[in-house]
Amino acid sequence: MINSVFFDLDGTISNSFEGISNGILYALEKLGAPLPPRESLASFLGPPLFDEFKRVFGFDDDTAREAVRLYRVYYPEKGIYEQTPIEGALELLKGLRALGIKICLATSKPLAYAEKIIPMFGFSEYFGGIYGASLDGKISAKADVIALALRESASLPETTLMVGDRFYDVEGAHACKVRCAGVLSGFGCRREFEDCGADFIAENLLDVFQIVKEENGLA
């Protein structure tokens, strides 16, 4: 039985690659670092920026923090508007609401940004709660955000489904005893979801609706 569905944001219901990659390139340029090909930056959609700046570019803690600060100069002013909803997002939200499913956002993106993006897409009426990372870094890991969403929305792990497009979503959900559906319409791939043990793999967002119906005995 699934009573609650939590959504990741970047790559799951939002195609935000342009805005995020522009912010990363802006930060690197300001740091005087070499600029990589834009297509190589897809790994930044999902994990905390601080961790990914360190992993991808080998930055030390201080440089990674400065890169995040510079990114956040660009993103709120320009990058946040350089994105569009992923195909099928609105239809899925409408379908879940019609089934009486509780819908929440659980994203590693800072809450301040997520609270602007959902209304920008016209999705506010479908979400019972929006949960994200804190700008001070105290809440950043996916598991922490999901745990917060479970508590604040009074959702039970065993009747909640996390929907995401990267292995970070699966690992975060499983750390909270929540099942996770990986969607292939974002930036992850089937092998990634198989390797991390995703409970379901959906070709697209509309397939998620079918998963929920089947789990609730409605298919």
Side-chain angles (χ1 to χ4, degrees), residues 18-168:
E18 180 182 358
I20 290 175
S21 60
N22 281 344
I24 295 163
L25 292 172
Y26 173 88
L28 294 174
E29 183 177 20
K30 292 297 183 182
L31 288 170
L35 300 183
R38 181 186 296 272
E39 60 270 19
S40 70
L41 301 176
S43 67
F44 277 82
L45 280 83
L49 288 172
F50 176 80
D51 296 343
E52 202 65 2
F53 272 120
K54 291 180 64 177
R55 187 189 73 81
V56 173
F57 301 114
F59 290 165
D60 58 26
D61 285 0
D62 288 342
T63 306
R65 274 191 285 269
E66 178 63 6
V68 173
R69 187 192 71 79
L70 289 167
Y71 171 91
R72 289 175 177 165
V73 170
Y74 179 90
Y75 189 81
E77 295 297 322
K78 296 182 179 179
I80 197 169
Y81 302 107
E82 298 170 330
Q83 58 185 304
T84 56
I86 284 182
E87 184 176 358
L90 179 59
E91 291 81 359
L92 174 56
L93 294 173
K94 287 181 176 180
L96 292 176
R97 185 173 67 173
L99 293 181
I101 302 293
K102 184 187 303 180
I103 304 170
C104 295
L105 190 76
T107 175
S108 293
K109 182 181 287 296
L111 177 62
Y113 301 161
E115 288 180 329
K116 292 182 179 179
I117 294 166
I118 293 302
M120 186 172 75
F121 287 167
F123 290 170
S124 296
E125 64 182 285
Y126 302 101
F127 284 89
I130 297 177
Y131 307 96
S134 56
L135 287 170
D136 61 10
K138 291 181 179 178
I139 299 176
S140 61
K142 195 67 177 217
D144 294 338
V145 176
I146 294 172
L148 174 65
L150 287 169
R151 290 195 304 271
E152 295 293 323
S153 68
S155 298
L156 298 175
E158 60 268 27
T159 58
T160 297
L161 177 70
M162 180 70 204
V163 180
D165 74 310
R166 297 298 312 281
F167 72 89
Y168 303 99

